[in-house]
Short mmCIF file of all heavy atoms in Angstrom, two decimals:
data_model
loop_
_atom_site.label_atom_id
_atom_site.label_comp_id
_atom_site.label_asym_id
_atom_site.label_seq_id
_atom_site.Cartn_x
_atom_site.Cartn_y
_atom_site.Cartn_z
N ASP A 1 -55.47 -3.91 -36.06
CA ASP A 1 -55.98 -5.27 -36.05
C ASP A 1 -54.94 -6.19 -35.45
O ASP A 1 -53.78 -6.19 -35.83
CB ASP A 1 -56.33 -5.72 -37.46
CG ASP A 1 -57.80 -5.69 -37.72
OD1 ASP A 1 -58.58 -5.19 -36.83
OD2 ASP A 1 -58.26 -6.21 -38.76
N VAL A 2 -55.35 -7.05 -34.54
CA VAL A 2 -54.44 -8.02 -34.02
C VAL A 2 -54.17 -9.07 -35.05
O VAL A 2 -55.05 -9.50 -35.77
CB VAL A 2 -55.12 -8.76 -32.81
CG1 VAL A 2 -54.27 -9.90 -32.25
CG2 VAL A 2 -55.48 -7.77 -31.71
N LYS A 3 -52.86 -9.42 -35.10
CA LYS A 3 -52.54 -10.51 -36.03
C LYS A 3 -51.75 -11.51 -35.31
O LYS A 3 -50.71 -11.23 -34.66
CB LYS A 3 -51.74 -9.86 -37.21
CG LYS A 3 -51.65 -10.82 -38.35
CD LYS A 3 -51.20 -10.16 -39.65
CE LYS A 3 -51.23 -11.04 -40.81
NZ LYS A 3 -50.71 -10.44 -41.94
N VAL A 4 -52.17 -12.78 -35.44
CA VAL A 4 -51.46 -13.92 -34.94
C VAL A 4 -51.14 -14.82 -36.13
O VAL A 4 -52.06 -15.22 -36.88
CB VAL A 4 -52.33 -14.67 -33.90
CG1 VAL A 4 -51.51 -15.85 -33.37
CG2 VAL A 4 -52.63 -13.77 -32.75
N THR A 5 -49.84 -15.07 -36.35
CA THR A 5 -49.48 -15.88 -37.47
C THR A 5 -48.83 -17.22 -36.95
O THR A 5 -48.20 -17.20 -35.93
CB THR A 5 -48.56 -15.16 -38.43
OG1 THR A 5 -47.38 -14.74 -37.69
CG2 THR A 5 -49.14 -13.92 -39.01
N GLN A 6 -49.02 -18.25 -37.75
CA GLN A 6 -48.40 -19.50 -37.44
C GLN A 6 -47.53 -19.91 -38.62
O GLN A 6 -47.88 -19.63 -39.79
CB GLN A 6 -49.49 -20.60 -37.11
CG GLN A 6 -50.25 -20.22 -35.88
CD GLN A 6 -51.28 -21.26 -35.48
OE1 GLN A 6 -52.41 -20.94 -35.18
NE2 GLN A 6 -50.92 -22.53 -35.45
N SER A 7 -46.48 -20.64 -38.31
CA SER A 7 -45.43 -20.83 -39.25
C SER A 7 -45.90 -21.68 -40.50
O SER A 7 -45.38 -21.44 -41.59
CB SER A 7 -44.22 -21.50 -38.65
OG SER A 7 -44.60 -22.65 -37.86
N SER A 8 -46.83 -22.60 -40.32
CA SER A 8 -47.22 -23.48 -41.39
C SER A 8 -48.73 -23.66 -41.26
O SER A 8 -49.28 -23.76 -40.18
CB SER A 8 -46.58 -24.86 -41.33
OG SER A 8 -45.17 -24.74 -41.23
N ARG A 9 -49.39 -23.83 -42.45
CA ARG A 9 -50.80 -24.16 -42.39
C ARG A 9 -51.02 -25.70 -42.41
O ARG A 9 -51.90 -26.21 -41.78
CB ARG A 9 -51.52 -23.64 -43.60
CG ARG A 9 -51.68 -22.14 -43.61
CD ARG A 9 -52.72 -21.69 -42.64
NE ARG A 9 -54.12 -21.89 -43.22
CZ ARG A 9 -55.09 -22.55 -42.58
NH1 ARG A 9 -54.93 -23.06 -41.38
NH2 ARG A 9 -56.26 -22.67 -43.18
N TYR A 10 -50.11 -26.38 -43.09
CA TYR A 10 -50.15 -27.85 -43.10
C TYR A 10 -48.71 -28.36 -42.93
O TYR A 10 -47.73 -27.75 -43.44
CB TYR A 10 -50.66 -28.35 -44.50
CG TYR A 10 -52.09 -27.90 -44.82
CD1 TYR A 10 -52.29 -26.75 -45.58
CD2 TYR A 10 -53.16 -28.58 -44.33
CE1 TYR A 10 -53.57 -26.29 -45.85
CE2 TYR A 10 -54.45 -28.16 -44.58
CZ TYR A 10 -54.72 -27.02 -45.31
OH TYR A 10 -55.94 -26.62 -45.61
N LEU A 11 -48.67 -29.47 -42.21
CA LEU A 11 -47.35 -30.06 -41.98
C LEU A 11 -47.50 -31.58 -41.91
O LEU A 11 -48.44 -32.07 -41.29
CB LEU A 11 -46.84 -29.53 -40.60
CG LEU A 11 -45.38 -29.45 -40.31
CD1 LEU A 11 -44.66 -28.58 -41.35
CD2 LEU A 11 -45.20 -28.69 -38.92
N VAL A 12 -46.61 -32.24 -42.55
CA VAL A 12 -46.57 -33.71 -42.49
C VAL A 12 -45.22 -34.17 -41.95
O VAL A 12 -44.19 -33.74 -42.49
CB VAL A 12 -46.88 -34.39 -43.85
CG1 VAL A 12 -46.84 -35.89 -43.75
CG2 VAL A 12 -48.18 -33.88 -44.43
N LYS A 13 -45.27 -34.96 -40.93
CA LYS A 13 -43.99 -35.43 -40.29
C LYS A 13 -44.13 -36.94 -40.02
O LYS A 13 -45.20 -37.53 -40.07
CB LYS A 13 -43.84 -34.70 -38.95
CG LYS A 13 -43.54 -33.23 -39.10
CD LYS A 13 -42.23 -32.94 -39.73
CE LYS A 13 -42.00 -31.45 -39.81
NZ LYS A 13 -40.69 -31.14 -40.45
N ARG A 14 -42.94 -37.50 -39.78
CA ARG A 14 -42.89 -38.96 -39.49
C ARG A 14 -42.79 -39.22 -37.97
O ARG A 14 -42.22 -38.35 -37.27
CB ARG A 14 -41.73 -39.56 -40.25
CG ARG A 14 -41.79 -39.43 -41.72
CD ARG A 14 -41.37 -40.73 -42.45
NE ARG A 14 -41.66 -40.67 -43.87
CZ ARG A 14 -42.76 -41.17 -44.43
NH1 ARG A 14 -43.62 -41.82 -43.72
NH2 ARG A 14 -42.99 -41.05 -45.74
N THR A 15 -43.25 -40.34 -37.59
CA THR A 15 -43.16 -40.75 -36.21
C THR A 15 -41.72 -40.64 -35.73
O THR A 15 -40.82 -41.09 -36.42
CB THR A 15 -43.65 -42.18 -36.05
OG1 THR A 15 -45.02 -42.27 -36.49
CG2 THR A 15 -43.59 -42.63 -34.59
N GLY A 16 -41.49 -40.05 -34.53
CA GLY A 16 -40.21 -39.92 -34.00
C GLY A 16 -39.48 -38.67 -34.33
O GLY A 16 -38.45 -38.33 -33.69
N GLU A 17 -39.99 -37.89 -35.28
CA GLU A 17 -39.34 -36.67 -35.66
C GLU A 17 -39.54 -35.58 -34.60
O GLU A 17 -40.60 -35.62 -33.88
CB GLU A 17 -39.88 -36.15 -37.00
CG GLU A 17 -39.24 -36.78 -38.22
CD GLU A 17 -39.65 -35.98 -39.50
OE1 GLU A 17 -38.98 -34.97 -39.76
OE2 GLU A 17 -40.57 -36.42 -40.19
#
Side-chain angles (χ1 to χ4, degrees):
Chain A
D1 256 8
V2 176
K3 194 163 183 187
V4 179
T5 56
Q6 294 183 228
S7 49
S8 307
R9 290 285 283 129
Y10 300 94
L11 210 51
V12 180
K13 295 291 181 181
R14 298 224 172 261
T15 302
E17 279 192 83

